[in-house]
Amino acid sequence: MSDLHDLPAHALTAAYRQRTLSPVEVTQAVLNHIAAWEPHIQATYLLRPERALEQARASEARWARGEPLGLLDGVPATIKENIATEGDPLPAGTAAVDLVPAAADAPPAARMREAGAVVVSKTTMPDYGMLSSGLSSFHPLARNPWDTSKGPGGSSAGGGAAAAAGYGPLHIGTDIGGSLRLPASWCGIFSLKPSLGRIPIDPPYTGRAAGPMTRTVADAALMMQVLSRPDARDSMGLPAQDIAWDRFDQGTERLRGLRIGLLLDAGCGLPVDPEVRAAVENAAHLMEAAGATIVPMRPFMTQAMLDGMDHFWRMRSFTDMQALAPAKREKVLPYIRAWADSAEGMSGQAVFNASQQFHLTRVAAVKACNAFDYVISPVAPNVAFQAELPSPTNDPLRPLEHIGFTVPFNMSEQPAASVNCGYTQAGLPIGLQIAGARFDDLGVLQVSRAFELVRGTQRPWPQPPKA
């Protein structure tokens, strides 16, 4: 039998139902495992063991009465720190903000509690979520369990590290340009950035989505049953839809007859590392062998699109930071300050032109994908980089050169997943992105599960260093 911290969510709830496991013993096992890992990867924020055990005891009592709250009752979970949990401050990864307790749970946190999940901890992120790194002026530096000299990616940095390290089966992150899929790729886990509005979030923002971070597609599908329930606080939320998440698995037959686009050049940013390219090409061959038709795609993104989004976000951050008192502004990570301050001289016309690149990206993505059932590509052109670096380029004037494959699907509102498709010679994971048409979240899960079945045996999950 697997160690308790490694068990998937559906196995845990089945064991609770049969009284062969207790939420208390599982939660304690997860807490013990976190204690062994946490000094090395620093993925948590507000880790409170007694509160977690209190939730587990309440779950144990419900299972004893045969009255579980919902699909996730007693299952350990973590939540990214920028998703509000009642009574807890939201530092947004930066030492520059005042720590004010949240008045209420944000929608994803509320849905998890309603389903009975045991929220073991929150997880870390970089300043304002604007880095694909675990570097933060507030949190300790997060690291990658596969190689602690590397970062886990970001901005859902702690969530990616926690999932790979085995901090329980369920984790929630957020994504506005790749912040779920990048850490999923670099930590070897699964994540789904859903269609915009599929999972209600507060506050909503163009391109921003919350999503599951798990070791398996099945656990992500289970979370989707809970997280996708409507919430009026999300002004961009989708209408309620009865999606058979619990019947998502069609096996490898799901690939048969599909027309799948293969995108190996983002059209902008960093060149694709040869090991990444080889792993994605191998994934395409496996899908083809299972009955899919693979069609090479030309890039549809341009450097102008990527730069425009970058410049608009710089101005947004510059405006936010100008509202801070000078002493507070000095606490922001220097890389983020340099990036934001570079927008100071932008004219109104330049800001407007930059803003238009979001729409141009959306139109280009939808048009390019329209000829295919699904599109596969690298998640990122590179693999995990040095933990101390804020970005792969370490250049605040070239900060987004690694998101050319991920960001278009935020703007087009299409669902896109990251599923592990191989490893470098050095043992670092490589993520395959699987994108579908808008609203086809279930299809992306099904195709991801089919690939999970054909990709072959995965390497064992990393273990905490010996004391």
Side-chain angles (χ1 to χ4, degrees), residues 393-457:
T393 62
N394 194 27
D395 182 351
L397 300 184
R398 295 177 57 235
L400 305 184
E401 299 294 291
H402 55 290
I403 70 169
F405 289 107
T406 52
V407 72
F409 299 114
N410 293 80
M411 301 314 142
S412 66
E413 305 183 18
Q414 295 172 247
S418 174
V419 58
N420 192 61
C421 68
Y423 306 86
T424 66
Q425 277 195 317
L428 294 173
I430 298 168
L432 173 73
Q433 181 169 246
I434 301 174
R438 190 179 176 204
F439 310 135
D440 188 22
D441 304 74
L442 179 58
V444 170
L445 286 171
Q446 290 171 331
V447 173
S448 297
R449 171 56 179 159
F451 178 71
E452 205 176 42
L453 292 170
V454 302
R455 71 183 175 181
T457 304

Side-chain angles (χ1 to χ4, degrees), residues 16 22-24 53-65 67-69 72-75 116-118:
Y16 298 159
S22 150
V24 174
L53 289 169
E54 182 182 353
Q55 295 170 66
R57 287 189 286 270
S59 173
E60 182 178 66
R62 291 191 294 270
W63 281 107
R65 297 193 304 268
E67 299 173 353
L69 270 181
L72 307 180
D73 207 329
V75 180
V118 174

Side-chain angles (χ1 to χ4, degrees), residues 9-91:
H10 62 84
L12 290 177
T13 54
Y16 298 159
R17 188 172 292 107
Q18 295 161 7
R19 310 289 177 85
T20 57
L21 284 178
S22 150
V24 174
E25 65 180 312
V26 170
T27 300
Q28 187 62 66
V30 168
L31 290 169
N32 292 345
H33 192 65
I34 292 173
W37 255 125
E38 191 60 7
H40 307 284
I41 62 173
Q42 302 182 122
T44 66
Y45 167 61
L46 299 180
L47 174 63
R48 295 173 292 207
E50 273 311 309
R51 287 202 188 183
L53 289 169
E54 182 182 353
Q55 295 170 66
R57 287 189 286 270
S59 173
E60 182 178 66
R62 291 191 294 270
W63 281 107
R65 297 193 304 268
E67 299 173 353
L69 270 181
L71 293 171
L72 307 180
D73 207 329
V75 180
T78 73
I79 299 174
K80 188 176 177 181
E81 66 106 308
N82 67 341
I83 297 173
T85 47
E86 183 178 1
D88 298 326
L90 280 78

Side-chain angles (χ1 to χ4, degrees), residues 313-439:
W313 281 331
R314 292 187 202 196
M315 179 54 76
R316 185 190 71 173
S317 294
F318 175 72
T319 302
D320 289 343
M321 287 181 207
Q322 286 299 105
L324 296 173
K328 290 282 189 183
R329 193 159 57 245
E330 285 298 312
K331 293 182 178 181
V332 176
L333 203 68
Y335 181 98
I336 294 290
R337 287 205 316 269
W339 172 70
D341 286 349
S342 68
E344 184 172 9
M346 285 182 71
S347 67
Q349 182 179 8
V351 174
F352 173 79
N353 289 338
S355 74
Q356 296 311 292
Q357 299 304 318
F358 290 91
H359 181 69
L360 293 175
T361 299
R362 175 193 182 99
V363 170
V366 172
K367 181 179 180 181
C369 295
N370 192 47
F372 306 101
D373 297 306
Y374 299 92
V375 168
I376 60 173
S377 73
V379 172
N382 57 298
V383 294
F385 52 95
Q386 289 304 116
E388 293 80 8
L389 296 181
S391 72
T393 62
N394 194 27
D395 182 351
L397 300 184
R398 295 177 57 235
L400 305 184
E401 299 294 291
H402 55 290
I403 70 169
F405 289 107
T406 52
V407 72
F409 299 114
N410 293 80
M411 301 314 142
S412 66
E413 305 183 18
Q414 295 172 247
S418 174
V419 58
N420 192 61
C421 68
Y423 306 86
T424 66
Q425 277 195 317
L428 294 173
I430 298 168
L432 173 73
Q433 181 169 246
I434 301 174
R438 190 179 176 204
F439 310 135

Side-chain angles (χ1 to χ4, degrees), residues 77-207:
T78 73
I79 299 174
K80 188 176 177 181
E81 66 106 308
N82 67 341
I83 297 173
T85 47
E86 183 178 1
D88 298 326
L90 280 78
T94 180
V97 304
D98 294 325
L99 298 181
V100 179
D105 286 339
R111 299 297 89 78
M112 295 293 279
R113 292 196 204 275
E114 290 161 5
V118 174
V119 180
V120 172
S121 178
K122 300 195 77 175
T123 50
T124 60
M125 61 182 283
D127 285 54
Y128 298 105
M130 292 310 296
L131 295 177
S132 298
S133 161
L135 188 62
S136 164
S137 62
F138 180 84
H139 299 293
L141 177 63
R143 295 179 179 272
N144 193 317
W146 292 93
D147 179 346
T148 55
S149 75
K150 309 297 184 187
S155 64
S156 302
Y167 288 20
L170 307 180
H171 310 270
I172 307 176
T174 62
D175 188 317
I176 198 171
S179 291
L180 283 163
R181 290 156 289 162
L182 292 165
S185 173
W186 296 334
C187 292
I189 63 167
F190 178 78
S191 186
L192 172 69
K193 181 210 73 68
S195 299
L196 185 72
R198 174 71 69 212
I199 294 176
I201 194 168
D202 182 33
Y205 190 86
T206 301

